[in-house]
Amino acid sequence: MALHFELVTPEKLVRSEEVYQVVVPGTDGDFGVLEGHAPFMSTVRDGNIQIFSSAGAAPEVIPVEGGFAEVNEKGLTVLAEKAG
Amino acid sequence: MPSLKELKIRRDSVKSTQKITKAKQMVAAAKLRKAQAAAEAARPYSSRLEAVVASLASKIAGGSGEGASPLLAGTGKDEVHLLVVANSDRGLAGAFNANIVKAAIVKARELEDAGKKVQFYLIGRKGRPVINRTFPGQIVAHYDTTGTKEPGFAQAQAVAHELTDMYLNGKFDIAHLFYSRFKSALAQIPTEQQIIPVKIPADADRNAIAATVEYEPSEEAILDDLLPRNITVQLFKALLENNASEQGASMTAMDNATRNAGDLINKLNIQYNRGRQAAITTELVEIISGAEAL
């Protein structure tokens, strides 16, 4: 049971994988997304995305700029102008 | 009948032309692979963003429609049309540039016949002379791409910024973008797309986002943030598609040119050899009849 996470930039599809949890720096504050999150849309401030591949694992950090996040039944999609 | 020397000179000149077209073809083939990969890599982002903007926009437009960004709602007028024409900087690509310009000119005529004012914004160098001749004085701005080799996101951002500024200052009401969509190395389709204001697809995209979606900050704030970004991304996509199309068109055109040059060389070779044999025969006949006369 995992969350499907995609990180997309105009240049390429950076990530598309199953993860446990992702913490996104939203404009109004950070939010964590787990599997089964309610449908949600937010703009993303410039900052770091934390990706937890499993519960309790050390997070992988990817800096993003100019982004937007969408959670729907298929998972979490982050669109960013710059990532990595 | 040209002399043997003339034939030889012509054959050599065609040969060197063939070398050039062959080199250009191989360069285009190598660049095409890269350009195609870049264009395809950009598709997920632009299509996803387009879908989100469309669903948000139809939701807000379906509601009050009050206070919506002018990038979505339009200026309320439909007088001045800006045609953004994206071309390349280089020739030797067959009808690639001509096709885009032709599509733009057809649209411009149509709009002028309907009594609208038409202006042009050009990206790239190649379309300028033709458009300037057909619609003198109607090119309002030109974005120079000669300095860069491949279209970058920064370029698209610069163009989008300029367009948005012009729009918000009331310089035009509707912007159409013309570029060439890359289908394959053999087929590039000149495409027109309305970029400002954003066109809302009329289909039932509304169901894509259930009514229970939460927005942070508000729907309007998200949309205000996304609309300028969407324009940038659509431009970026157009530039990449254009680049791939250019290389594809160039490859096909140069392949044809190389083959034509080959045919021409064969023909000249035959002509040259025939002439040479005729000369030898004449010489022999002269020697023999000379000997017989003795």
Side-chain angles (χ1 to χ4, degrees):
Chain A
M1 289 297 99
L3 168 75
H4 185 66
F5 167 65
E6 286 192 355
L7 177 59
V8 193
T9 68
E11 268 94 16
K12 61 177 184 199
L13 185 65
V14 181
R15 284 294 160 86
S16 176
E17 57 192 5
E18 307 295 321
V19 295
Y20 172 69
Q21 184 193 7
V22 180
V23 177
V24 184
T27 316
D28 291 353
D30 291 9
F31 57 90
V33 181
L34 286 158
E35 199 218 347
H37 195 290
F40 179 66
M41 240 183 229
S42 169
T43 47
V44 175
R45 68 171 197 272
D46 299 353
N48 293 321
I49 287 188
Q50 294 172 39
I51 304 164
F52 296 81
S53 54
S54 61
E60 183 189 351
V61 176
I62 301 179
V64 292
E65 254 175 62
F68 169 77
E70 182 193 7
V71 183
N72 55 26
E73 66 281 2
K74 286 182 212 126
L76 165 69
T77 308
V78 177
L79 303 176
E81 279 182 9
K82 268 187 203 157
Chain B
M1 182 82 183
S3 75
L4 283 185
K5 197 177 173 203
E6 277 168 8
L7 276 176
K8 211 171 165 189
I9 292 172
R10 257 189 81 192
R11 195 185 59 186
D12 289 348
S13 106
V14 176
K15 262 188 188 161
S16 60
T17 308
Q18 192 191 27
K19 269 184 200 152
I20 295 170
T21 56
K22 189 140 196 209
K24 175 76 182 149
Q25 185 213 337
M26 288 195 286
V27 169
K31 280 191 180 165
L32 171 67
R33 209 162 307 149
K34 221 172 137 195
Q36 196 181 346
E40 273 161 15
R43 275 179 194 159
Y45 187 95
S46 67
S47 58
R48 236 158 267 185
L49 192 61
E50 221 178 332
V52 170
V53 168
S55 65
L56 261 180
S58 64
K59 211 163 182 182
I60 288 184
S64 57
E66 284 287 310
S69 158
L71 288 175
L72 172 66
T75 52
K77 284 182 296 180
D78 158 31
E79 281 307 306
V80 185
H81 288 248
L82 184 75
L83 305 189
V84 183
V85 185
N87 277 122
S88 71
D89 291 325
R90 255 162 259 200
L92 291 183
F96 167 73
N97 285 307
N99 281 343
I100 300 175
V101 169
K102 212 197 291 166
I105 286 178
V106 167
K107 178 81 183 175
R109 288 254 156 77
E110 208 176 280
L111 287 169
E112 284 198 332
D113 288 346
K116 315 284 185 210
K117 209 172 145 213
V118 176
Q119 291 180 325
F120 289 92
Y121 182 102
L122 301 184
I123 303 172
R125 197 166 62 88
K126 273 287 164 185
R128 193 180 177 87
V130 183
I131 290 179
N132 207 9
R133 220 177 310 129
T134 325
F135 299 96
Q138 282 170 265
I139 299 176
V140 283
H142 176 235
Y143 185 79
D144 189 19
T145 51
T146 43
T148 44
K149 274 191 186 151
E150 274 147 34
F153 195 64
Q155 273 184 337
Q157 252 168 340
V159 174
H161 208 125
E162 207 176 323
L163 286 179
T164 317
D165 271 356
M166 283 166 74
Y167 180 68
L168 295 178
N169 288 330
K171 296 269 169 61
F172 63 88
D173 300 316
I174 294 176
H176 308 265
L177 174 66
F178 290 86
Y179 66 100
S180 188
R181 196 156 57 79
F182 180 80
K183 196 169 165 222
S184 72
L186 290 171
Q188 300 86 29
I189 305 155
T191 308
E192 184 216 334
Q193 187 189 0
Q194 183 180 322
I195 48 169
I196 302 175
V198 177
K199 241 194 177 157
I200 306 164
D203 57 11
D205 210 13
R206 241 164 275 205
N207 301 332
I209 298 176
T212 50
V213 180
E214 276 182 58
Y215 296 93
E216 189 184 293
S218 63
E219 295 172 33
E220 284 82 6
I222 293 181
L223 199 58
D224 281 350
D225 184 61
L226 284 186
L227 284 172
R229 199 169 292 161
N230 186 43
I231 293 170
T232 311
V233 169
Q234 297 309 327
L235 277 167
F236 183 58
K237 187 188 77 175
L239 290 180
L240 287 174
E241 296 265 342
N242 232 9
N243 192 28
S245 298
E246 184 200 348
Q247 302 306 342
S250 175
M251 197 177 90
T252 320
M254 288 302 109
D255 188 41
N256 280 337
T258 310
R259 212 166 303 151
N260 285 344
D263 289 351
L264 199 53
I265 289 171
N266 281 343
K267 231 172 148 187
L268 287 171
N269 251 340
I270 289 170
Q271 220 178 335
Y272 174 80
N273 287 343
R274 235 175 240 158
R276 198 172 58 96
Q277 273 172 337
I280 293 169
T281 314
T282 325
E283 220 168 286
L284 276 177
V285 167
E286 272 165 14
I287 293 168
I288 292 165
S289 53
E292 268 174 1
L294 282 177

